[in-house]
Amino acid sequence: MTPATATAAIPFFRSPVRDDPEMLAHMTRACADVLRSGVYVLGPQVHAFEASLSAMHDGREVVAVNSGSDALCLALAALGVGTLGGGGADDEVILPAYTFVACAEAVLAAGARPVFVDCAASGFLPSLEAHHAARGERTRAVLAVGLFGDASALPALAAYCRQQGLWLVEDIAQCFGASSTATDGTTRLAGTWGDAAAMSFYPTKTLGAAGDAGALAFADARHARQARLLRNHGHEGNEHLCLGRNSRMDELQAALLHLALAAFPQALARRREIAARYLAAWTALPGLTLPHDHAGHAWNYFVVTLGARAQRDALADALAREGVATRVYYPAPLQHHRALAPLHDGRALPRSEHLAQCSLALPLYPALNDDDINRIIDVLPVALGHATRAAATPAGAAP
Ligand SMILES: *Cc1c(COP(=O)(O)O)cnc(C)c1O
């Protein structure tokens, strides 16, 4: 046991605004302006934020909504996949088994059927081959998740979907701002490869709101128009042209997000700098697999993998004792969720099961200061040593 020190604990996440008085002052003023304006939903702040997001994403038409979860569902509906958007109840959407539960919920909420694919032998993303093996007669779309900030699978999936006549929906909740390069050398931002992209601005994402918010980007303006209808009860002019829902973005969130977007390049650069420091510091630690680096990674989360669940849990405990908070993304693959298991086709998905048991997310966010980073870098190997010994000691035996 290390003796207690006076060093403050490092939380898993901290808002960048708390430590930035200048940004806090700008945001406070922006809030006051919105409050005084009396316009609180889908007004000028939302339109201005949509325009900036559109400019960032190759001029794709952007539709601001109230969460990333609704963005995913409305992306599918706007493309006509599933009953909500006028498609069939047996429309299938291929998605990773190892991702946030919102991805499967969105497919079901759109009135379509989720088909889970396993992760590749290395890394956190499913391979092209796995997608192809899951493709059937009723497959309509691929939901590609840029898990943890890794957008590297998007170019090949975009080419595959084009060739197969499938829609590609990018879930860029965790890889907003990431870029990737196709085999022909083209480099593009996540959100501009597929037919639709869903963004989340939940506070811990790479662009975080002070609450819930999300957005969509579309290659085809007709799909954007459909999404605009769906987010607001089918309302256009004086009519309700279709049934939709309430997925509108608030003016307050739009105003705050617009300010955060202006500071986003520095925030992303800081994430990349921290990841590079971790990767350089922890090469060749026995029993620890580091996340793959690739040009353009957005490093929303820095997720390491241990050899077995006991080691992962022991590492989390050892880091907690040193005051470093961690999280498990995700403790169960989707096919193991009580509500989703009955929908699974029974295909074996061993990599997703393994990763759910063995992966651990370490703190990585722009508000980490250099002292925090140095401490995390120093503490990890020590904690890993404790964890390896603890996991090797049978329960009840003397250490
Ligand atoms: C956060 C997240 C979502 C959902 O976004 P919300 O804004 O929380 O609804 C969807 N997919 C992934 C991969 C996410 O990380």
Side-chain angles (χ1 to χ4, degrees):
M1 256 324 94
T2 39
T5 63
T7 329
I10 300 175
F12 183 74
F13 175 74
R14 203 164 57 225
S15 160
V17 181
R18 272 184 29 167
D19 310 316
D20 183 345
E22 201 180 328
M23 181 58 100
L24 191 60
H26 280 137
M27 288 188 160
T28 306
R29 212 170 314 127
C31 285
D33 288 346
V34 170
L35 291 175
R36 268 193 298 270
S37 79
V39 179
Y40 299 142
V41 179
L42 288 190
Q45 300 293 336
V46 169
H47 298 137
F49 179 55
E50 286 178 338
S52 290
L53 282 180
S54 170
M56 175 178 173
H57 294 92
D58 280 358
R60 288 195 169 209
E61 204 151 325
V62 169
V63 181
V65 294
N66 64 356
S67 70
S69 303
D70 270 17
L72 283 170
C73 172
L74 297 188
L76 292 166
L79 296 171
V81 178
T83 52
L84 180 63
D90 50 7
D91 285 354
E92 289 181 358
V93 179
I94 299 175
L95 75 160
Y98 183 61
T99 184
F100 187 43
V101 67
C103 301
E105 284 176 327
V107 173
L108 291 164
R113 293 213 308 233
V115 174
F116 304 130
V117 280
D118 207 9
C119 304
S122 89
F124 298 110
L125 306 178
S127 68
L128 205 53
E129 293 69 35
H131 282 92
H132 194 58
R135 191 212 192 302
E137 266 170 41
R138 303 189 190 288
T139 306
R140 300 284 314 281
V142 167
L143 182 56
V145 182
L147 204 68
F148 306 146
D150 183 349
S152 61
L154 291 173
L157 272 176
Y160 173 75
C161 286
R162 249 194 322 276
Q163 178 223 332
Q164 296 279 317
L166 302 174
W167 299 114
L168 176 61
V169 176
E170 299 171 59
D171 178 344
I172 63 165
Q174 296 179 16
C175 69
F176 179 89
S179 58
S180 32
T181 303
T183 45
D184 69 1
T186 329
T187 297
R188 296 161 68 147
L189 272 194
T192 66
W193 295 97
D195 301 287
M199 313 171 196
S200 164
F201 307 120
Y202 184 76
T204 62
K205 306 293 162 92
T206 60
L207 179 67
D212 279 309
L216 289 147
F218 289 96
D220 185 329
R222 284 170 302 182
H223 297 140
R225 176 170 179 247
Q226 198 57 30
R228 258 179 235 292
L229 289 174
L230 289 165
R231 80 170 163 186
N232 191 21
H233 306 295
H235 188 257
E236 193 182 88
N238 272 330
E239 276 187 278
H240 293 273
L241 301 181
C242 63
L243 295 179
R245 51 169 69 189
N246 172 6
S247 294
R248 300 178 299 241
M249 186 184 276
D250 293 340
E251 287 284 279
L252 280 171
Q253 293 305 340
L256 296 174
L257 280 164
H258 215 163
L259 289 170
L261 186 63
F264 179 74
Q266 297 94 286
L268 181 62
R270 180 69 174 160
R271 284 184 180 277
R272 288 173 171 160
E273 183 191 334
I274 299 170
R277 292 203 48 201
Y278 289 171
L279 290 170
W282 297 329
T283 49
L285 284 181
L288 188 82
T289 304
L290 294 173
H292 286 297
D293 196 7
H294 76 81
H297 202 303
W299 295 110
N300 193 172
Y301 302 118
F302 191 94
V303 180
V304 298
T305 314
L306 285 295
R309 178 186 211 130
Q311 273 147 21
R312 188 272 306 273
D313 293 346
L315 178 62
D317 289 346
L319 285 167
R321 283 196 300 273
E322 300 283 350
V324 176
T326 58
R327 252 182 226 177
V328 173
Y329 290 120
Y330 293 93
L334 296 184
Q335 74 276 13
H336 286 189
H337 285 239
R338 197 184 308 221
L340 297 173
L343 305 170
H344 180 45
D345 60 15
R347 199 185 303 263
L349 305 166
R351 270 297 288 176
S352 69
E353 293 174 13
H354 175 78
L355 290 172
Q357 296 195 1
C358 300
S359 65
L360 188 67
L362 307 177
L364 191 167
Y365 45 89
L368 281 179
N369 62 37
D370 288 335
D371 288 343
D372 295 333
I373 296 165
N374 289 333
R375 201 150 128 254
I376 294 167
I377 284 176
D378 291 345
V379 153
L380 181 83
V382 180
L384 185 64
H386 289 316
T388 310
R389 283 190 296 280
T393 310

